[in-house]
Amino acid sequence: MRTLGGFCCFLLQYVAVSVVVLSNGCAATTDHIPSVPTHNMSHKERNELKEEARDMFYHAYEAYMEKAYPADELMPLSCTGRYRGVTPSRGDLDDVLGNFSMTLVDTLDTLVILGDLEEFERAVKLVIKDVKFDNDIVVSVFETNIRMVGGLLSAHILAEYVQKQADVMLWYRGELLEMAKDLGYRLLPAFNTSTGIPHARVNLKHGMKVESLRHSRETCTACAGTILLEFAALSRLSGEPIFEAKAHAAMDALWKMRHRSSDLMGTVLNVHSGDWIRRESGVGAGIDSYYEYCLKSYILLGDERYLARFNRHYNAIMKYISQGPMLLDVQMHRPHTKTRNFMDALLAFWPGLQVLSGDLKPAVQTHEMLYQVMQMHTFIPEAFTYDFQVHWGQHHLRPEFIESTYFLYRATGDHYYLQVGKKALKALQKHAKVPCGYAAVNDVRTGKHEDRMDSYVLSETFKYLYLLFSDPSDLLLNIENFIFTTEAHLLPLTLGQLGNHTFNIKEHEEGNMLDFMRSCPSPNKLFPETVRRPLRDLVTGVCPRISSAKRLRAADFQASNADHLRTVYDMGITMVSLGEGKVQLLHSFYNAKSPEDAERGLIFMQEMVELSKSNAIPKTQLQEVSFQRGGEELQVLKAGPSHFGPELTGDMSLSQRAVFATPSKVCNSLRNGNELKGKIAILERGDCTFVDKARRVQTAGSVAAIVYDNMPNTSIDNQQMFAMSGDGRDDVKIPVVFLFTKEAEVLLAAIRADPSLEITLRAVKELGDLQSSEAANMDTKAHSQTKTDSARTSSSSSSEMKSNKP
């Protein structure tokens, strides 16, 4: 960013923004920064994009109906349907499925938005004929409510609407409402807790009376706090108040659990005791739609207590969590303490909610930051670090960013947001479209697809794209008369007049006038471009500005790799051994091969310091897995440790036969639990957390577990070793170790050849083995020398083995 005194560049380090002045100059020239036209989009182009969004919907919808229906979801790469209990399990991810044609139910109201009443009528008839809920299946209460109950209610409301407005579907007599009521009653057993906060899961046929739910106790804040809109609508349309009453009780219980000093909420809680299990507070995963429903419950129901609650929470978020355009998680009870070094994609809904609350300036700022992250990676990754690098690379075609883009356009009329929507639409067309619909992206860095198309792609993503490019006169209904649920289902504002089962805030809890006083800037006086301009270089102009594809990242660096050593040498970095496994890195601009290499070196040194900070984890010792077959020599395989369960140290060892667990990933009930008793369990990485796998085999009676990698060609010789992370609970009592693929292939082949083979687990015998591991105990002392007289920085830190979740 240009200043009168020279060129300044912003480098993001965690939360703080440090200014580094380089005498060689690194001006954020416009040549390297993608620009978006800010001129008004022509009516012709906007109409073409609207029709393209319509075509995208039908490409996915017809693929689902032809290849997958009546399954819950389409698998777009396999061109088949995903059925619970038939398709290979994905663990807890499958709790969204109930074998009740979820994608069709979730999509019904989108057909009305598109004006396709003929297909809407056909789809409603199919749902009435085919969809049943008397299934012996455990489902997510939250997902079933927002997708199924919300989908049925919205379709019922719109069916009655088109009866009156278009004189069609005259045969319809409220069948969808009856189905919603049936499903609502099947969810009610989950609310039978001492707090009134519902369980996370329920069996559609047997309620909570199944073995798998006997120990149910945890739920997330969003799971418990995203019920009221649908349940209130169900009560007011059916005349049965129990649904709304239960939802209000859950919201009341959650409000009492906020931290009274900070007014923040945690993310995971115990439904029986009301104790917080995870106290991290943010606006993303695990908590997002709770805040959304606080505000929207006031809008739909007119209950002022929800406005008061939202404003208290909102003020706390803007005080503690909002850091300029970024939203950083903190501890609810220590709100000045940050809890993680990344943001997740679900927080992209927040600017849209800020628009709804009338606070437009921060909405513009956060949206602009997210948009630049999208431009940097084509899609917004599932999680990204504070310096906008990929943390989790998946992109599941989520709607939240497009939703916020739509609401910002409606609030400001700024055609910039039409251009943003166009870029999102074209990215989906180019990188996600496949012959059978649209496939999620497994990693935004590689563009590899995943055999997944969630129902919300049709219910939300394409709906918001179509609405963004539509003129109000294009629609059969007046959107201003409806509110969108978190799943983008339409509920009419007239529901608030059908009978209020809520209470005045003065009767129910103490209120404060400050809870209702908010500044709502007029969009007529807001010029978003002036807000966006200072942020334009936040991501694309991060300086030094070197193509990520052309440089070595600290996280990928291996001291044994000759190419890596040559690369860091070209960047002006020299390595000095300090003994005891410690290495000192020295960086100088003068020693670099070129100015561009010097800038790459500066980034590398900064990343190395940040990496060593983020990897400040408990010390653990590298493990080994050994065995000996017949007269053959002893095989010793190096293995990674875990941060849960007992650690094998010194002369400690454990020897026993090994048994393959079934299913191999152990993300649901074991089918060979009896065979694992007293044995070492062999498990595959993936689909659920390491510690959950360990708990399941421990319950089956295993004495230890070996987890093997599910990625091809990985080896301790070509990967950073890492320690498997836990979740803070100390309930795993068996040792658990990790093998990369190459080492695992040796072990698995030996076990298959001799099932009676005895396996031994122990710590590495010699300290030298530990020191030779690339990521273990490297003490990095980084000294960066710039060309300015005083801009010399130095820091030292120690990085242990990298800790990863699957």
Side-chain angles (χ1 to χ4, degrees):
M1 139 184 298
R2 289 185 185 271
T3 66
L4 293 177
F7 301 123
C8 291
C9 299
F10 287 94
L11 293 178
L12 282 159
Q13 296 185 354
Y14 286 91
V15 181
V17 179
S18 305
V19 181
V20 180
V21 184
L22 305 178
S23 65
N24 63 328
C26 58
T29 58
T30 56
D31 294 341
H32 296 82
I33 304 172
S35 61
V36 175
T38 56
H39 60 269
N40 282 357
M41 182 180 286
S42 69
H43 178 75
K44 179 176 181 290
E45 182 180 11
R46 187 175 173 185
N47 191 61
E48 289 172 350
L49 289 168
K50 180 191 72 175
E51 292 306 313
E52 187 171 359
R54 180 197 295 274
D55 292 343
M56 293 169 73
F57 170 84
Y58 280 110
H59 177 68
Y61 177 77
E62 289 168 1
Y64 166 75
M65 295 302 294
E66 293 171 9
K67 305 293 185 181
Y69 182 81
D72 282 324
E73 290 179 351
L74 167 70
M75 296 194 293
L77 302 183
S78 305
C79 282
T80 57
R82 189 184 298 281
Y83 290 90
R84 186 77 172 270
V86 177
T87 313
S89 173
R90 301 174 296 172
D92 292 346
L93 189 61
D94 280 349
D95 286 343
V96 69
L97 309 176
N99 289 346
F100 38 34
S101 302
M102 178 177 63
T103 293
L104 182 58
V105 173
D106 210 6
T107 304
L108 291 173
D109 59 1
T110 308
L111 292 167
V112 179
I113 293 287
L114 296 172
D116 192 347
L117 299 187
E118 181 179 348
E119 181 60 22
F120 175 66
E121 181 172 10
R122 184 178 83 93
V124 168
K125 287 180 177 178
L126 282 174
V127 169
I128 294 171
K129 177 173 71 75
D130 296 339
V131 176
K132 302 292 185 289
F133 301 123
D134 193 29
N135 305 327
D136 186 7
I137 291 177
V138 173
V139 298
S140 162
V141 174
F142 162 72
E143 297 286 4
T144 304
N145 174 62
I146 65 171
R147 302 198 200 199
M148 294 296 297
V149 176
L152 291 168
L153 290 174
S154 182
H156 162 72
I157 290 162
L158 295 179
E160 292 194 334
Y161 180 88
V162 299
Q163 273 186 336
K164 297 174 183 176
Q165 300 297 321
D167 200 31
V168 297
M169 295 183 67
L170 301 180
W171 55 268
Y172 180 74
R173 292 293 182 270
E175 291 88 345
L176 296 179
L177 177 59
E178 288 302 311
M179 293 177 70
K181 187 167 67 173
D182 174 28
L183 185 54
Y185 273 115
R186 294 177 186 276
L187 299 181
L188 282 184
F191 290 79
N192 293 332
T193 63
S194 56
T195 60
I197 296 171
H199 289 278
R201 298 170 181 84
V202 69
N203 186 287
L204 289 175
K205 190 180 186 74
H206 304 293
M208 300 301 297
K209 298 178 180 178
V210 293
E211 179 61 25
S212 62
L213 298 176
R214 189 162 63 90
H215 301 293
S216 171
R217 62 178 63 86
E218 296 179 9
T219 194
C220 69
T221 306
C223 302
T226 313
I227 305 288
L228 183 53
L229 293 186
E230 292 82 2
F231 268 35
L234 182 55
S235 281
R236 297 185 185 208
L237 292 170
S238 69
E240 300 189 24
I242 186 171
F243 304 108
E244 184 171 350
K246 291 288 187 181
H248 279 303
M251 292 293 276
D252 290 345
L254 286 173
W255 173 246
K256 292 175 183 176
M257 292 173 61
R258 76 193 187 282
H259 193 270
R260 298 304 176 94
S261 174
S262 68
D263 278 330
L264 294 174
M265 306 285 283
T267 53
V268 179
L269 53 99
N270 186 309
V271 299
H272 298 301
S273 66
D275 295 331
W276 287 108
I277 296 170
R278 291 187 59 180
R279 295 171 177 263
E280 295 93 337
S281 187
V283 298
I287 196 169
D288 47 359
S289 48
Y290 163 73
Y291 295 129
E292 181 182 0
Y293 272 39
C294 281
L295 180 59
K296 289 184 177 179
S297 293
Y298 165 70
I299 295 170
L300 183 66
L301 306 177
D303 190 329
E304 290 183 343
R305 66 178 141 160
Y306 292 111
L307 176 62
R309 292 174 185 179
F310 173 79
N311 285 335
R312 291 273 286 276
H313 286 317
Y314 186 81
N315 291 335
I317 289 165
M318 298 308 289
K319 179 178 180 180
Y320 300 117
I321 294 172
S322 177
Q323 302 287 329
M326 298 191 290
L327 298 159
L328 314 179
D329 281 19
V330 301
Q331 293 283 3
M332 61 178 285
H333 57 299
R334 292 197 299 270
H336 296 291
T337 302
K338 303 294 183 284
T339 61
R340 63 185 190 182
N341 64 345
F342 62 89
M343 294 176 276
D344 63 70
L346 285 170
L347 62 76
F349 89 102
W350 185 251
L353 191 65
Q354 289 181 307
V355 169
L356 197 60
S357 73
D359 204 1
L360 290 175
K361 183 177 179 179
V364 170
Q365 291 176 322
T366 297
H367 179 274
E368 181 63 20
M369 178 270 292
L370 291 166
Y371 178 51
Q372 294 188 45
V373 171
M374 188 196 91
Q375 292 185 95
M376 189 175 187
H377 301 293
T378 304
F379 297 107
I380 296 177
E382 191 72 358
F384 52 93
T385 59
Y386 294 164
D387 59 349
F388 312 114
Q389 302 303 312
V390 174
H391 184 75
W392 295 330
Q394 305 95 329
H395 176 74
H396 296 146
L397 314 185
R398 294 194 183 278
E400 285 80 11
F401 177 72
I402 299 171
E403 173 188 357
S404 288
T405 304
Y406 165 70
F407 282 113
L408 273 165
Y409 175 68
R410 292 296 303 274
T412 65
D414 187 346
H415 279 228
Y416 175 83
Y417 296 109
L418 296 179
Q419 300 290 352
V420 172
K422 175 183 176 180
K423 196 167 186 71
L425 181 150
K426 296 299 183 181
L428 288 169
Q429 289 285 66
K430 182 176 180 179
H431 300 287
K433 188 176 183 179
V434 294
C436 289
Y438 289 80
V441 177
N442 184 259
D443 194 318
V444 298
R445 292 163 293 197
T446 65
K448 180 182 177 182
H449 285 136
E450 187 176 340
D451 202 6
R452 171 177 178 178
M453 189 181 83
D454 291 82
S455 67
Y456 56 66
V457 178
L458 291 168
S459 174
E460 299 184 75
T461 305
F462 295 142
K463 180 185 292 176
Y464 281 124
L465 273 177
Y466 181 83
L467 286 172
L468 175 64
F469 299 116
S470 297
D471 190 86
S473 61
D474 297 331
L475 306 177
L476 292 175
L477 42 83
N478 185 355
I479 292 293
E480 299 292 341
N481 295 331
F482 295 82
I483 192 168
F484 289 103
T485 69
T486 195
E487 191 73 5
H489 293 309
L490 295 169
L491 295 178
L493 296 175
T494 52
L495 278 175
Q497 304 168 8
L498 293 182
N500 196 337
H501 298 276
T502 64
F503 306 93
N504 186 284
I505 187 170
K506 294 179 181 178
E507 300 172 2
H508 200 72
E509 59 191 35
E510 292 184 4
N512 187 318
M513 281 303 295
L514 292 176
D515 296 340
F516 301 95
M517 294 174 62
R518 289 195 40 74
S519 171
C520 296
S522 167
N524 295 327
K525 295 182 180 180
L526 175 73
F527 298 93
E529 176 61 20
T530 63
V531 179
R532 291 191 299 263
R533 191 179 299 118
L535 301 170
R536 193 59 51 79
D537 299 339
L538 184 66
V539 178
T540 55
V542 167
C543 175
R545 199 173 48 259
I546 300 296
S547 169
S548 60
K550 297 181 180 179
R551 68 177 182 85
L552 174 66
R553 299 182 186 282
D556 300 326
F557 175 69
Q558 296 178 7
S560 61
N561 187 311
D563 290 335
H564 288 186
L565 292 175
R566 191 177 303 110
T567 300
V568 297
Y569 180 79
D570 288 346
M571 292 189 296
I573 298 172
T574 55
M575 298 177 60
V576 179
S577 175
L578 302 179
E580 298 181 353
K582 297 179 181 180
V583 176
Q584 184 181 49
L585 302 181
L586 299 172
H587 176 245
S588 171
F589 268 82
Y590 298 106
N591 294 332
K593 189 175 180 180
S594 68
E596 292 77 14
D597 285 312
E599 292 185 3
R600 290 189 181 97
L602 186 61
I603 294 179
F604 182 88
M605 297 298 285
Q606 179 196 356
E607 287 180 347
M608 189 62 78
V609 172
E610 298 303 322
L611 184 64
S612 64
K613 290 179 182 177
S614 64
N615 288 344
I617 57 178
K619 290 187 177 181
T620 52
Q621 190 167 354
L622 197 64
Q623 307 288 290
E624 70 176 37
V625 177
S626 61
F627 60 89
Q628 189 169 18
R629 293 182 57 196
E632 299 177 4
E633 65 180 34
L634 180 69
Q635 289 271 14
V636 179
L637 308 171
K638 291 179 184 177
S642 64
H643 290 310
F644 52 86
E647 182 182 1
L648 298 175
T649 58
D651 294 329
M652 295 172 59
S653 66
L654 183 151
S655 299
Q656 187 51 261
R657 283 176 51 206
V659 175
F660 292 98
T662 306
S664 63
K665 292 185 179 178
V666 196
C667 291
N668 48 19
S669 300
L670 286 160
R671 295 198 290 271
N672 66 335
N674 292 336
E675 299 175 29
L676 296 175
K677 188 172 183 180
K679 303 297 188 299
I680 298 174
I682 306 294
L683 326 172
E684 183 181 2
R685 178 183 187 177
D687 292 352
C688 58
T689 62
F690 292 120
V691 69
D692 283 342
K693 297 174 190 287
R695 290 188 180 111
R696 289 190 175 96
V697 297
Q698 175 178 272
T699 302
S702 294
V703 295
I706 300 173
V707 181
Y708 62 90
D709 203 359
N710 60 352
M711 300 295 290
N713 302 319
T714 62
S715 169
I716 196 167
D717 296 326
N718 62 28
Q719 299 287 321
Q720 277 192 329
M721 180 51 69
F722 66 86
M724 295 177 288
S725 59
D727 56 9
R729 293 164 56 190
D730 188 22
D731 57 347
V732 176
K733 306 302 180 185
I734 62 173
V736 185
V737 302
F738 178 85
L739 285 176
F740 283 117
T741 302
K742 292 292 188 182
E743 288 74 28
E745 287 171 351
V746 176
L747 175 66
L748 302 187
I751 296 173
R752 292 187 179 107
D754 181 7
S756 64
L757 185 67
E758 187 172 85
I759 311 298
T760 299
L761 307 183
R762 60 163 61 92
V764 291
K765 293 181 180 179
E766 299 179 4
L767 183 59
D769 291 338
L770 179 61
Q771 292 172 341
S772 65
S773 176
E774 304 295 349
N777 198 29
M778 185 178 74
D779 198 6
T780 305
K781 293 190 175 182
H783 296 273
S784 176
Q785 300 171 335
T786 72
K787 288 187 179 179
T788 56
D789 293 335
S790 60
R792 176 183 173 92
T793 62
S794 66
S795 60
S796 64
S797 53
S798 175
S799 67
E800 300 286 336
M801 289 171 288
K802 187 177 179 182
S803 175
N804 287 294
K805 291 189 176 181

